[in-house]
């Protein structure tokens, strides 16, 4: 419940409404019990007073202790009538349990046959007749019990309906927040546009703060990208000059220590130029916007990069194999995918011994580039994705940006990059469609 704002509101609200619903039923039950009490008392009063009016009881012998009452009818008011001589003139079947002497007037309770009765006795001084009317006190409880048994199902349905209405009301109220959440989830990290989802008044401040935060992030990222691009361009000119001077120095000396130092300078300059090119590539990729991609034939793109790197492949005596089983449907940018394949082929050539085998495999679910080189330990497979990360002991020149560029291009094409170290050795870089980004 701590993790869900919806439940944190729904559950206490539902419990509070349920408590109020039950309390209302209890209050209505108590009021009904009191009302029933007053109704029965009124019936007893009317019955007793009616029975004391002048009447020829002698001509109604069949009603004396009448047998017409149903033994199972517990809800009839019992009665008995007597005269001044305390002779019973008229009574129902159970009237004999009621008092037939004028000891007290009004309401009172008696016990008869192990049962409590509530009785009302009335004396008519004009006619000299007295009458008692009463009923077992358990009648009220039985009536209320029958009412509860009859209405508990509607009450329960009403409570469930109240819970459903509460749930739907909260769900409807949370819809703007849910839409905002979905917009955030679907937002590409590189597309820092302001949120446009309409939200209620209570969420406008949150939306405004999110938009302000996005604007700050976008401004900061733009500054970093411009700095990277500007720094890279500014460095290329002096580096080119240094390399030219190193080449001149190498030509002027035939051999010896100076020539070796000149060669090291040129190698260092080449490495720095490669790093700058990678940084520029990353900077351009970070600024890349979604565009209308075209259908791509991946084997053709891979073969084109293979041809461009033919001199390196021949120098390493590498073998390149294509295994295309089924087409992998992809729409993308051919130039970007070419950069991705180029980086992967160069990595395989650079970090593998001569004679390495590079394989491009493709089916309808994924495509991959693998080699049979030394591979990578399992514990650093995920770390090589990080920018500028290079495993310890790595002797080959590199910038640590190659796989970062590959993964960035894959993300722009809604692909997920998976790194594997097969049991037979080497490194396999696979790409599958990223459903979460599609």
């Amino acid at each position: 419940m701590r993790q869900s704002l919806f439940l944190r509101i729904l559950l206490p609200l539902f419990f509070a409404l349920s408590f109020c619903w039950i309390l209302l039923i209890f209050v209505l039950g108590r009021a009904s019990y009191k009302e029933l009490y007053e109704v029965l008392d009124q019936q007893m009063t009317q019955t007793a007073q009616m029975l004391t009016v002048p009447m020829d009881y002698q001509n109604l012998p069949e009603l004396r202790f009448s047998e017409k009452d149903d033994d199972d009818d517990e809800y009839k008011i019992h009665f008995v009538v007597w005269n001044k001589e305390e002779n019973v003139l008229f009574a129902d079947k159970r009237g004999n349990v009621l008092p037939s002497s004028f000891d007290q007037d009004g309401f009172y309770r008696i016990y008869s046959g192990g049962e409590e009765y509530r009785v009302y006795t009335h004396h008519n001084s004009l006619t000299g007749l007295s009458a008692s009317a009463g009923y077992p006190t358990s009648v009220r409880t039985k009536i209320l019990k029958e009412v509860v048994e009859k209405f508990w199902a509607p009450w329960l349905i009403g409570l469930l309906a109240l819970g459903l209405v509460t749930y739907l009301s909260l769900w409807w109220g949370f819809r703007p927040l849910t839409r905002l959440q979905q917009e955030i989830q679907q937002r590409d990290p590189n597309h820092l546009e302001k949120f446009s989802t309409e939200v209620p008044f209570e969420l406008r401040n949150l939306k405004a703060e999110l938009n302000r935060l996005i604007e700050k992030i976008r401004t900061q990222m733009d500054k970093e990208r411009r700095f990277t691009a500007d720094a890279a361009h500014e460095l290329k000119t002096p580096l080119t000059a240094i390399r030219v001077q190193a080449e001149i120095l190498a030509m002027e000396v035939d051999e010896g220590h100076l020539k070796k130092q000149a060669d090291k300078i040129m190698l260092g300059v080449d490495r720095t130029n490669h790093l700058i090119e990678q940084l520029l590539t990353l900077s351009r990729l970070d600024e890349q916007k979604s565009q209308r991609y075209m259908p791509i034939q991946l084997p053709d793109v891979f073969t084109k990069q293979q041809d461009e790197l033919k001199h390196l492949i021949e120098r390493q005596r590498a073998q390149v194999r294509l295994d295309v089983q089924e087409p992998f449907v992809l729409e993308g940018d051919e130039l970007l995918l070419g950069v991705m394949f180029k980086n992967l082929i160069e990595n395989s050539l650079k970090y593998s011994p001569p004679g390495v085998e590079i394989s491009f495999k493709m089916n309808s679910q994924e495509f991959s580039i693998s080699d049979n080189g030394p591979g990578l330990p399992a514990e650093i497979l995920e770390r090589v994705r990080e920018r500028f990360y290079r495993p310890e002991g790595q002797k080959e020149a590199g910038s640590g940006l190659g796989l970062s560029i590959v993964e960035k291009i894959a993300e722009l094409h809604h692909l997920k990059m998976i790194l594997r170290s097969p049991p037979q050795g080497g490194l396999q870089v696979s790409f599958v469609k990223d459903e979460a980004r599609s």
Side-chain angles (χ1 to χ4, degrees), residues 7-211:
L7 291 179
R8 290 180 67 180
I9 296 176
L10 175 63
L11 294 182
L13 182 60
F14 179 72
F15 288 141
L17 290 175
S18 300
F19 175 77
C20 293
W21 184 264
I22 295 172
L23 181 63
L24 177 62
I25 292 175
F26 176 78
V27 171
L28 290 177
R30 292 283 298 179
S32 299
Y33 188 83
K34 182 179 180 181
E35 186 70 21
L36 179 62
Y37 195 99
E38 294 175 354
V39 169
L40 290 175
D41 283 354
Q42 186 177 10
Q43 288 182 351
M44 287 192 302
T45 301
Q46 292 176 350
T47 300
Q49 291 176 353
M50 181 185 65
L51 290 174
T52 57
V53 299
M55 186 181 301
D56 187 4
Y57 294 103
Q58 299 300 322
N59 294 327
L60 300 173
E62 68 278 9
L63 295 180
R64 290 175 56 83
F65 297 101
S66 172
E67 299 292 339
K68 292 184 179 181
D69 293 324
D70 189 350
D71 290 340
D72 296 329
D73 191 354
E74 301 177 359
Y75 305 137
K76 287 185 177 181
I77 294 179
H78 309 306
F79 56 87
V80 61
V81 183
W82 68 93
N83 56 19
K84 294 179 180 180
E85 291 77 22
E86 296 186 355
N87 294 323
V88 175
L89 303 178
F90 180 52
D92 71 323
K93 182 179 180 181
R94 296 187 182 182
N96 56 351
V97 302
L98 302 179
S100 56
S101 61
F102 187 67
D103 295 329
Q104 56 184 322
D105 201 353
F107 292 99
Y108 55 93
R109 296 175 184 271
I110 64 170
Y111 289 88
S112 178
E115 190 170 11
E116 183 184 36
Y117 286 80
R118 180 169 174 79
V119 180
Y120 175 78
T121 299
H122 175 68
H123 175 69
N124 191 332
S125 57
L126 297 177
T127 62
L129 299 176
S130 300
S132 293
Y135 63 90
T137 54
S138 60
V139 166
R140 286 179 300 176
T141 304
K142 292 179 180 179
I143 293 176
L144 284 177
K145 182 179 179 182
E146 289 184 359
V147 171
V148 171
E149 290 176 350
K150 184 176 181 180
F151 291 102
W152 73 267
W155 287 339
L156 179 60
I157 293 174
L159 179 60
L160 295 177
L162 181 63
L164 180 60
V165 170
T166 303
Y167 174 86
L168 293 176
S169 299
L170 279 176
W171 174 80
W172 182 264
F174 270 82
R175 283 187 65 190
L177 189 59
T178 303
R179 287 195 297 267
L180 182 61
Q181 176 189 356
Q182 292 173 348
E183 185 177 355
I184 295 174
Q185 289 175 341
Q186 296 171 0
R187 182 68 63 88
D188 191 300
N190 296 313
H191 301 159
L192 298 177
E193 291 83 9
K194 294 183 178 181
F195 295 107
S196 59
T197 302
E198 291 297 327
V199 295
F201 175 78
E202 291 78 6
L203 294 179
R204 289 178 185 173
N205 290 337
L206 174 61
K207 177 184 172 183
E209 292 301 323
L210 283 174
N211 286 335

Side-chain angles (χ1 to χ4, degrees), residues 209-220:
E209 292 301 323
L210 283 174
N211 286 335
R212 275 193 284 270
L213 177 61
I214 287 175
E215 185 64 29
K216 292 179 182 178
I217 294 174
R218 181 167 57 188
T219 302
Q220 186 63 30

